[in-house]
């Protein structure tokens, strides 16, 4: 279980972005997070994944704080995959950075073998996004923070990506936090939804 | 208004390594497109990335790279478009709201750039400045943003500046290339409403997007494209319910895949969609020149 306890965070002194925000995600649970631009959705996601350190409060994974080295059990998936890969690495090296997915797993995410010898700029956004999602599913990973990962995809590619991820998450009982502007998408995917505004998290029933 | 007849576009596709020039082959990027745009309509061009939507816009504007091979005819208000007439009409009759925010000049303040667009359309410098100010006010950019440089603007502001430039140019045909990417829902509504306004004033708006759902409320007709081919042109009201009035399986699949609808892929179509994953290049006939 991933537990965020009374998190507070600010970039500018005196302007709190998050104030005493608590959130719990169980293994296998899909949680949705919505909010206006600049409300702090991505910041909350980064705090959960250990990219940022909260000023107050802590993130607890199964009664322990997040590890500072090794495979991070909470993975953050950013909106633009182009910025999340090394442009000078070929796709094979990018994909196998943390683990080596089997051929069947590549196929489930529609990652084609002939992409592997290419550089990331030679893949489209949707193709690269699928590579990035598969890369993040290393064996030690327990939770995913999907930060607007399907905004730039056309509807069909979107469904393909979510179906593959849903299947994988069910198999391994991954907990997923889906961050999106798209209420219809969150309704489809998540059992519980939250709205972030004025530094506070409110559940949507 | 604008008629496209049997338009085909090929771009050179170079091999890798030494002597790549001699191994040049041609990739078909647009394949025999015929389309007709009407006066006063918002016509949405929808398709996955790599479908050739932006290339079609560049072909209309005459902004293709010199190496491109274009076949077919473009007819604007009964006049055949060629390189020379496109150059005269660009910025006066034809306006493009580009996808990339890099289209703004980094060394010139916002208001001045918009005034340039008005001058290009034939206004005197005084009235150009006036109409630039009015257009920027219309898109709710405050005085500070009007005197800012491009790098000081947020993505949403920069998009609205580009839209304002198309607005002051008084162009009869406005092509908006993904104008809502990176905007939050409020700003997106505002930009789309502005495009609808342009069409209601009797101009033609071509809205290029991959976001079918948000294009539908303002569009009159929707054209679905896929890997350079025209799949279907349908009125916006055909996209409802189970999409039964759509004739093509791909456009039905696109409609049903939306989270508001079934959010699944129909079985018979899944195979044809899977080949999309195999890469657009594999599908296109790459013929050795």
């Amino acid at each position: 279980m991933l537990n965020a306890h009374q998190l507070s965070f600010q970039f500018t002194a005196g302007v709190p972005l998050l104030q005493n925000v608590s959130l719990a995600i169980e293994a296998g649970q899909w949680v949705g997070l919505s909010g206006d631009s600049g409300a702090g959705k991505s910041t909350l996601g980064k705090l959960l994944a250990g990219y940022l350190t909260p000023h107050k409060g802590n993130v607890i994974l199964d009664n322990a704080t997040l590890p500072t080295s090794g495979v991070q059990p909470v993975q953050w998936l950013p909106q633009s995959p182009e910025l999340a890969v090394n442009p000078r690495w070929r796709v094979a090296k990018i994909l196998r950075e943390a683990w080596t997915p089997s051929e069947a797993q590549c196929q489930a995410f529609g990652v084609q073998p002939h992409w592997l010898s290419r550089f990331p700029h030679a893949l489209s956004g949707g193709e690269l996004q699928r590579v990035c999602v598969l890369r993040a599913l290393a064996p030690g990973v327990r939770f995913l923070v999907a930060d607007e990962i399907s905004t730039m995809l056309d509807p069909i590619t979107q469904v393909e990506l979510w179906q593959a991820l849903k299947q994988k998450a069910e198999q391994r009982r991954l907990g997923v936090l889906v961050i999106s502007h798209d209420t219809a998408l969150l309704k489809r995917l998540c059992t519980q939804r939250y709205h972030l505004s004025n530094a506070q998290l409110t559940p949507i029933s | 208004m604008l008629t496209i007849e049997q338009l085909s576009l090929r771009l050179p596709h170079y091999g890798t390594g030494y002597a790549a020039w001699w191994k040049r082959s041609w990739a078909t990027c647009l394949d025999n497109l015929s389309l007709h745009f009407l006066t006063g309509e918002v016509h949405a061009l929808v398709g996955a990335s790599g479908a050739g939507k932006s290339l079609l816009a560049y072909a209309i504007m005459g902004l293709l790279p010199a190496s491109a091979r274009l076949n077919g005819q473009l007819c604007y208000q009964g006049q055949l478009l060629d390189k020379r007439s496109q150059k005269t009409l660009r910025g006066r009759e034809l306006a493009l709201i580009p996808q990339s925010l890099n289209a703004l000049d980094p060394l010139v303040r916002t208001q001045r750039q918009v005034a340039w667009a008005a001058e290009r359309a034939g206004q005197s410098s005084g009235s150009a400045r006036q109409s630039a100010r009015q257009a920027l006010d219309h898109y709710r950019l405050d005085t500070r943003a009007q005197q800012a440089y491009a790098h000081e603007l947020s993505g949403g502001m920069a998009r609205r500046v580009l839209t304002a430039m198309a607005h002051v140019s008084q162009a009869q045909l406005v092509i908006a290339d993904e104008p809502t990417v990176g905007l939050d829902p409020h700003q997106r509504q505002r930009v789309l409403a502005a495009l609808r306004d342009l069409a209601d004033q009797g101009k033609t708006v071509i809205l290029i997007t991959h976001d079918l759902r948000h294009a539908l409320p303002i569009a009159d007709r929707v054209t679905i494209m896929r890997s350079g081919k025209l799949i279907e042109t349908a009125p916006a009201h055909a996209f409802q319910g189970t999409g039964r009035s759509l004739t093509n399986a791909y456009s039905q699949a696109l409609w049903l895949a939306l989270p508001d609808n079934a959010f699944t892929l129909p079985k018979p179509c899944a195979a044809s969609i899977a080949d999309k994953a195999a890469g657009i290049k594999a599908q296109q006939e790459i013929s050795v020149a």
Side-chain angles (χ1 to χ4, degrees), chain B residues 9 11 50 281:
Chain B
L9 171 70
L11 285 174
K281 286 213 179 75

Side-chain angles (χ1 to χ4, degrees), chain A residues 33-48:
Chain A
L33 178 62
S34 58
D36 291 336
S37 315
K41 303 187 295 295
S42 295
T43 307
L44 180 57
K46 284 181 185 172
L47 285 169
L48 290 177

Side-chain angles (χ1 to χ4, degrees), chain B residues 53-273:
Chain B
K53 309 180 297 276
S54 296
L55 280 174
L56 180 60
Y58 295 151
I60 294 169
M61 297 295 290
L63 295 172
L64 289 169
S67 60
R69 301 283 166 88
L70 197 64
N71 289 316
Q73 280 186 352
L74 289 163
C75 212
Y76 175 75
Q77 291 187 333
Q79 175 196 0
L80 215 56
L81 284 183
D82 55 19
K83 283 227 163 94
R84 182 176 294 178
S85 59
Q86 277 167 331
K87 197 172 175 191
T88 350
L89 292 175
R90 211 153 52 212
R92 298 197 176 94
E93 294 275 317
L94 312 174
L96 175 71
I97 304 172
Q99 185 174 9
S100 166
L101 299 177
N102 299 342
L104 289 173
D105 191 328
L107 300 176
V108 181
R109 292 181 197 275
T110 308
Q111 200 189 69
R112 185 111 182 278
Q113 280 189 68
V114 182
W116 278 353
E119 274 175 50
R120 167 81 186 152
Q123 296 189 23
S124 69
S125 61
S127 72
R129 214 172 307 140
Q130 174 105 26
S131 53
R133 208 175 305 133
Q134 274 170 3
L136 287 165
D137 284 340
H138 180 76
Y139 288 97
R140 311 221 180 146
L141 288 153
D142 54 18
T143 339
R144 218 186 68 207
Q146 295 193 16
Q147 292 304 326
Y149 290 100
H151 71 271
E152 298 170 320
L153 301 172
S154 76
M157 286 163 133
R159 268 210 196 282
R160 279 181 280 158
V161 172
L162 289 168
T163 315
M165 286 170 85
H167 188 98
V168 295
S169 71
Q170 299 289 325
Q172 292 306 302
L173 177 69
V174 177
I175 306 176
D177 195 353
E178 300 275 12
T180 57
V181 170
L183 300 187
D184 66 39
H186 300 294
Q187 289 180 342
R188 182 173 58 217
Q189 277 322 319
R190 202 171 292 157
V191 168
L192 289 178
L195 292 176
R196 183 68 248 178
D197 267 358
L198 286 179
D200 290 341
Q201 289 163 25
K203 291 164 184 175
T204 304
V205 177
I206 303 178
L207 172 63
I208 296 176
T209 181
H210 67 263
D211 191 351
L212 176 63
R213 182 158 31 134
H214 295 115
L216 281 178
I218 65 151
D220 296 307
R221 289 192 299 159
V222 179
T223 291
I224 309 275
M225 282 176 74
R226 175 169 175 226
S227 48
K229 293 191 181 68
L230 198 140
I231 298 287
E232 182 174 7
T233 300
H237 60 74
F239 291 86
Q240 59 169 354
T242 52
R244 220 171 269 148
S245 42
L246 297 167
T247 53
N248 191 283
Y250 179 75
S251 28
Q252 272 181 2
L254 206 64
W255 167 243
L256 290 175
L258 292 179
D260 297 294
N261 304 325
F263 199 51
T264 49
L265 301 177
K267 279 277 176 303
C269 198
S272 68
I273 294 157

Side-chain angles (χ1 to χ4, degrees), chain A residues 37 156-157 159-160 182 184 188, chain B residues 184 213 257 259-261 273 276:
Chain A
S37 315
I156 288 174
T157 322
V159 174
E160 283 172 343
D182 192 340
R188 279 276 172 194
Chain B
D184 66 39
R213 182 158 31 134
D260 297 294
N261 304 325
I273 294 157
K276 186 178 61 112

Side-chain angles (χ1 to χ4, degrees), chain A residues 58-185:
Chain A
N58 46 20
V59 179
I60 303 285
L61 178 71
D62 294 336
N63 307 320
T65 49
L66 295 174
T68 46
S69 64
V71 172
Q72 172 63 258
V74 185
Q75 284 287 328
W76 179 63
L77 301 168
Q79 182 179 358
S80 342
E82 313 87 62
L83 304 178
V85 297
N86 188 336
R88 295 175 59 165
W89 284 11
R90 288 182 192 270
V91 172
K93 192 174 176 188
I94 291 168
L95 188 60
R96 294 172 187 154
E97 191 179 353
W99 71 303
T100 310
S102 70
E103 211 137 287
Q105 281 159 332
C106 285
Q107 216 162 29
F109 278 83
V111 172
Q112 306 290 323
H114 64 263
W115 297 353
L116 297 179
S117 58
R118 295 195 197 164
F119 283 102
H121 71 257
L123 295 185
S124 78
E127 292 168 350
L128 200 56
Q129 190 64 275
R130 278 180 276 174
V131 171
C132 285
V133 172
L134 187 56
R135 173 179 71 166
L137 294 173
V141 172
R142 310 267 315 281
F143 289 91
L144 291 175
V145 179
D147 193 352
E148 300 263 20
I149 57 168
S150 64
T151 324
M152 29 85 85
L153 307 178
D154 67 289
I156 288 174
T157 322
Q158 237 179 68
V159 174
E160 283 172 343
L161 180 71
W162 287 119
Q163 275 179 352
L165 195 58
K166 195 103 199 177
Q167 209 179 3
K168 201 83 207 163
E170 259 167 39
Q171 262 174 29
R172 290 185 28 190
R173 296 203 19 93
L174 293 172
V176 184
L177 177 72
V178 186
I179 301 177
S180 179
H181 280 306
D182 192 340
T183 327
L185 181 74

